[in-house]
């Protein structure tokens, strides 16, 4: 949200003062932060069996569901994201787990989109301020989170995204330690002989260098 003036201004005008860059986007009135939206999220119309039926009837062979986007909110019970996931706050439901069960029952393969970066996480913000001389966010949050989702749900596909906001966080090797995770995934995980990963891993600043080192591109 910090990169889109129109979004911040809309939020401040419609919902309340977001607190995002108040010097740049002054706001008067009641406070309403992005995090408060989570309590309003109920997923009361979510019917995973219906979704799976639609996917199957469309001719799809696999599904890739957003398990976590750049805001860090997880649609499953992540130990590294306590009180910021769909079981702890919001619908109080494991949306990833429920959809996975329905999709597999329909005979389809199941994958997960999983953002690497998290806009608001203090460890991620600190790593960027330190020009990635620290990797606390990767070591304490992302690597354990990625391994947790693999162990919990045995994905057929892992679609990583959001390699970074600062230049140094565009390096998948030095900052995100992607080789460590992928080595574990293909050597020691329970899905090592079946899982696919996508190509959004970089070794430099330019998007044109995506996939240079990743053999599955």
């Amino acid at each position: 949200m910090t990169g889109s003036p129109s979004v911040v201004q809309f939020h401040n005008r419609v919902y309340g003062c977001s607190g995002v860059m108040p010097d740049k986007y002054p706001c008067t009135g009641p406070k309403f932060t992005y995090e408060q939206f989570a309590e309003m999220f109920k997923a009361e119309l979510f019917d995973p069996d219906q979704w799976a039926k639609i996917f199957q009837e469309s001719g799809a062979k696999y599904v890739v569901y957003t398990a976590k986007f750049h805001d860090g909110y997880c649609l499953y019970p992540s130990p590294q994201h306590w009180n910021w996931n769909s079981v702890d706050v919001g619908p109080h439901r494991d949306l990833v787990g429920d959809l996975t069960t329905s999709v597999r029952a329909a005979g389809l393969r199941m994958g997960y989109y999983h953002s690497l970066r998290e806009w608001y996480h203090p460890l991620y913000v600190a790593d960027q301020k330190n020009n990635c001389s620290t990797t606390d966010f990767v070591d304490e949050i992302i690597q354990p989170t990625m391994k947790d989702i693999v162990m919990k749900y045995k994905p057929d596909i892992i679609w990583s995204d959001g390699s970074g906001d600062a230049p140094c966080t565009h390096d998948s090797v030095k900052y995100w330690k992607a080789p460590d995770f992928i080595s574990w995934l293909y050597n020691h995980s329970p899905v090592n002989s079946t899982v696919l990963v996508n190509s959004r891993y970089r070794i430099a600043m330019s998007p044109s260098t995506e996939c240079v080192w990743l053999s599955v591109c």
Side-chain angles (χ1 to χ4, degrees):
M1 187 165 75
T2 56
S4 176
S6 61
V7 172
V8 177
Q9 291 163 359
F10 179 85
H11 180 118
N12 290 346
R13 183 176 71 254
V14 175
Y15 297 105
C17 297
S18 64
V20 173
M21 301 175 70
D23 294 339
K24 187 174 182 179
Y25 307 110
C27 179
T28 59
K31 181 180 179 181
F32 189 91
T33 66
Y34 180 82
E35 288 75 14
Q36 288 176 265
F37 281 116
E39 299 172 1
M40 301 166 61
F41 176 42
K42 303 302 180 185
E44 66 272 21
L45 300 180
F46 178 58
D47 184 342
D49 287 340
Q50 181 188 37
W51 282 32
K53 184 173 183 291
I54 292 172
F55 297 148
Q56 183 187 52
E57 291 178 350
S58 76
K61 301 301 181 184
Y62 65 92
V63 174
V64 176
Y65 185 56
T66 300
K68 177 176 77 74
F69 193 57
H70 305 332
D71 58 1
Y73 183 81
C74 297
L75 299 186
Y76 65 98
S78 168
Q80 292 77 32
H81 299 80
W82 55 270
N83 211 34
W84 192 233
N85 66 73
S86 62
V87 174
D88 290 344
V89 60
H92 300 291
R93 181 175 179 180
D94 181 357
L95 303 178
V96 167
D98 290 349
L99 185 61
T100 297
T101 298
S102 296
V103 164
R104 287 183 168 152
L108 307 181
R109 295 188 180 275
M110 189 69 193
Y112 310 111
Y113 169 102
H114 192 281
S115 172
L116 297 174
R117 65 179 167 183
E118 294 180 21
W119 288 321
Y120 311 117
H121 200 291
L123 292 181
Y124 177 61
V125 173
D127 284 350
Q128 290 186 95
K129 288 182 178 178
N130 295 332
N131 196 33
C132 300
S133 62
T134 57
T135 58
D136 294 337
F137 176 67
V138 177
D139 299 335
E140 298 180 29
I141 304 298
I142 287 301
Q143 292 275 351
T145 298
M146 296 286 282
K147 289 182 179 180
D148 179 59
I149 201 170
V150 169
M151 298 303 293
K152 266 195 180 93
Y153 305 109
K154 314 295 190 295
D156 297 295
I157 302 165
I158 296 177
W159 188 278
S160 293
D161 186 30
S163 55
D165 298 290
C168 66
T169 62
H170 281 273
D171 194 318
S172 291
V173 176
K174 293 180 181 178
Y175 181 67
W176 294 109
K177 304 181 181 180
D180 294 348
F181 170 71
I182 293 176
S183 176
W184 171 84
L185 185 67
Y186 282 108
N187 287 286
H188 304 294
S189 82
V191 292
N192 62 345
S193 62
T194 57
V195 69
L196 295 177
V197 298
N198 71 316
S199 60
R200 291 194 177 181
Y201 291 100
R202 302 173 181 171
I203 60 170
M205 311 303 180
S206 171
S208 64
T209 61
E210 288 184 11
C211 302
V212 169
W213 68 272
L214 195 58
S215 61
V216 297
C217 294

